[in-house]
Amino acid sequence: MTWWQRSVVYQIYPRSFLDSDGDGVGDLPGITSKLDYLHTLGVDVIWLCPVYPHGGVDGGYDITDYRNIAPEFGSLPDWKDLLAGLHARGMKLVMDLVVNHTSDQHPWFLEARRSTDNPYRDYYLWRPGEGGGPPSNWGSHFGGSAWQLDPATDEYYLHLFATEQPDLNWENPRVRREVYDLMTFWLDLGIDGFRMDTINMLSKVPGFPDTAPGADYAYPLAEEHFLNGPELLTYLREMRAEVLSKYDVMTVGETPGVSPDAAAVLTDPQTGPLNMIFQFDHMALDKDPASARPRWTTVPYSVPELKTVLGRWQTELHGRGWNSLYLSNHDVPRLVSRYGDDGASRVPSAKLLATLLFTLQGTPYVYQGDELGIPNAKFTSIDDYRDVDTLNLYREDVIEGGRDPAGVLEMIHNKGRDNARTPMPWTGGENAGFTTGTPWIPLNPTFRDINAETVLADPDSVYWYYRDLIRLRREHPSIVEGRYDDLRPEHPTLYAYLRTHAQEQLLVLLNFGGQALDLDGVLDIPANAALLLGNYAAPGEVPAGVLQPWEARVYVTRSAEEMGALD
Ligand code: TEU
């Protein structure tokens, strides 16, 4: 096993972590001042969302300079201090690599748009219009057409995300060389890897053919024409040969719409260009696929469906590739609100979800604040939101489309990206201890009760449970290496699985839901099973055969034969 297979990653959204200079925006010195907080939690690797100079449109994912730090986040010396502070604690740093697109303010694009024969023109994807409109009907992820007419040359450029995020032309070898060079720049400064943004969108189907029209939006997402495109593997293999193979670093690719088979190719230990990917199947469970914009919908899903999806990735990548494990990030709602119960059972359900996250096979990713059990932030006014995706939805649907604002706000409450982007609550005091100035986005209204200070002071808190789980994972190789077997795939609320490795086998029991569950006739806990960790019962206890609402237990049993009694 490699270091990155044994690691736990903690994702930081710098804008919202901790502000050290009172401008209302989190920054690098803020992060450096909290390294002991992260070290105590036990995480090994920090994934830092973009801190580069940017165009101010998409939370740093619209980069204007790949080799520097945005002044609001600090300076390159501040960044070096952070890296040194991490390395001094035996921790590692992974940077965000955003190279499907740049900002429209990047010098390459400023040049490219000047004339059709500019040397940078082919850094981007330009096409003349068709019949007075865009070259094809492709929609952008953030609403509207994915093509933008640029008046200077009367041609359209492609942008799969915001208008201000033009897509780079990966067919151009000069673009690829630029990317490899900027990767080398950071690797030579000593970083430990990259999280690669939308990395399976690099290769577009030639000709940008139309996609099937959407239900009620003119511009549907043409995913079949840009996800896992024809040259993707060629580009990624080249990237590995030219750059990554020369360093002992980890890579994780963000890849929507990838099957386990495709992931096995991408992450094959010998030939795969990446170490692991973020798959999106479990993110789709509560979406309505028939809707014109599924990601804004919320439909109930069943626990057996969750087990099917997670189980498929566990079994199909076992021995073939490597999984990443995540239930949240900066693009999705808070996990306790989405998969748990953010009301009366907030704490036990947050712990249950953590138990799931840390006891599957793969590298777990914790999103900042999830270790405090933070729920979604439900702002009552659209004025409190900042995310381009959220604001575009509101503009298209309410301001231009005349839909009911209450209904759209509810969609935003359930699925908006700002749920995850409110400032880290460090204390219950002024501005939650995040800033001495005015925070760039309002605080999550729960901060007076749910903040690091209260959570650290409470030995039964979500934070200490995360710490215990991370420790457990380190002490039990079956969690990292073992096989996964779902014991009761059909059961409506019980998620029970085994993790089997050589001489050791773990049994994980998760009662998904607000009802107690009598295990009698459902599953026998073997007589020799010893409780390692639970969110109700303490290690070593012999708890009853009834699981409390949202109860989670991790047992160890000594041998595979003894575990046979379960069947
Ligand atoms: O996200 C890409 C992505 O596919 C989605 O999760 C996307 O955020 C969603 O479809 C829209 O709601 C990555 C980054 O994680 C995201 O923050 C950026 O906005 C996006 O790429 C563009 O760089």
Side-chain angles (χ1 to χ4, degrees), residues 37 346 371-373 425-426 449-464:
Y37 169 89
R346 183 181 61 82
E371 78 280 16
L372 305 177
W426 293 103
D449 298 321
I450 305 170
N451 59 68
E453 202 172 52
T454 49
V455 163
L456 287 169
D458 171 7
D460 287 330
S461 70
V462 179
Y463 177 95
W464 295 116

Side-chain angles (χ1 to χ4, degrees), residues 58 61 98 101 141-142 161 165 195 197-198 201 254 256 280 295 330-331 389 417 421:
D58 187 22
Y61 284 89
V98 190
H101 43 265
H141 283 89
F142 296 155
F161 291 90
Q165 289 168 300
R195 175 268 184 185
D197 192 61
T198 64
M201 302 189 193
E254 189 201 21
F280 278 66
R295 76 172 190 282
H330 65 296
D331 290 334
D389 193 21
R417 304 197 298 180
R421 298 180 181 184

Side-chain angles (χ1 to χ4, degrees), residues 11 13 47 49-50 58-62 96 98 100-101 141-142 160-162 165 195 197-198 200-201 221 223 227 254-256 280 287 295-296 329-332 387-390 415 417 421:
Q11 180 191 354
Y13 194 73
W47 151 26
C49 281
D58 187 22
Y61 284 89
D62 50 330
D96 218 310
V98 190
N100 174 70
H101 43 265
H141 283 89
F142 296 155
L160 291 180
F161 291 90
Q165 289 168 300
R195 175 268 184 185
D197 192 61
T198 64
N200 64 333
M201 302 189 193
L221 269 188
E223 290 190 327
L227 291 183
E254 189 201 21
T255 60
F280 278 66
K287 293 177 185 171
R295 76 172 190 282
W296 283 110
N329 59 39
H330 65 296
D331 290 334
V332 297
D387 169 33
V388 60
D389 193 21
T390 299
K415 287 293 171 75
R417 304 197 298 180
R421 298 180 181 184

Side-chain angles (χ1 to χ4, degrees), residues 28 183 242 438 453 538 564:
L28 295 169
M183 291 172 76
E242 296 279 324
T438 308
E453 202 172 52

Side-chain angles (χ1 to χ4, degrees), residues 199-415:
I199 202 70
N200 64 333
M201 302 189 193
L202 302 183
S203 169
K204 281 78 176 172
V205 165
F208 310 100
D210 276 349
T211 186
D216 60 352
Y217 292 94
Y219 300 110
L221 269 188
E223 290 190 327
E224 73 281 19
H225 297 320
F226 64 77
L227 291 183
N228 319 312
E231 301 303 325
L232 178 68
L233 269 177
T234 312
Y235 299 152
L236 294 181
R237 289 198 167 128
E238 184 182 77
M239 178 190 282
R240 176 171 143 153
E242 296 279 324
V243 186
L244 296 166
S245 59
K246 300 172 184 161
Y247 300 85
D248 176 23
V249 291
M250 64 165 268
T251 55
V252 51
E254 189 201 21
T255 60
V258 159
S259 66
D261 279 342
V265 173
L266 287 167
T267 68
D268 180 281
Q270 265 74 49
T271 59
L274 303 175
N275 296 143
M276 61 191 122
I277 56 131
F278 291 128
Q279 60 88 11
F280 278 66
D281 287 350
H282 58 308
M283 293 288 123
L285 284 172
D286 61 353
K287 293 177 185 171
D288 175 5
S291 146
R293 272 193 293 204
R295 76 172 190 282
W296 283 110
T297 58
T298 307
V299 296
Y301 71 93
S302 70
V303 177
E305 286 175 282
L306 178 71
K307 293 188 273 189
T308 302
V309 167
L310 295 181
R312 185 166 66 229
W313 282 88
Q314 286 294 295
T315 48
E316 294 196 21
L317 277 197
H318 184 70
R320 295 170 73 200
W322 191 251
N323 270 301
S324 72
L325 306 168
Y326 75 99
L327 294 171
S328 63
N329 59 39
H330 65 296
D331 290 334
V332 297
R334 287 289 180 180
L335 79 173
V336 72
S337 299
R338 189 178 193 183
Y339 304 105
D341 169 4
D342 63 10
S345 293
R346 183 181 61 82
V347 169
S349 68
K351 291 178 177 176
L352 173 140
L353 293 166
T355 313
L356 174 66
L357 184 72
F358 288 109
T359 59
L360 292 174
Q361 185 173 40
T363 300
Y365 288 72
V366 179
Y367 179 67
Q368 73 181 38
D370 284 344
E371 78 280 16
L372 305 177
I374 300 178
N376 280 345
K378 297 188 165 103
F379 299 141
T380 49
S381 162
I382 190 66
D383 298 337
D384 288 339
Y385 287 95
R386 301 287 178 267
D387 169 33
V388 60
D389 193 21
T390 299
L391 299 179
N392 281 357
L393 172 85
Y394 196 85
R395 196 194 60 231
E396 261 185 50
D397 278 20
V398 178
I399 299 168
E400 293 163 5
R403 290 178 196 211
D404 169 26
V408 173
L409 267 179
E410 196 186 321
M411 288 157 90
I412 294 168
H413 290 164
N414 289 333
K415 287 293 171 75

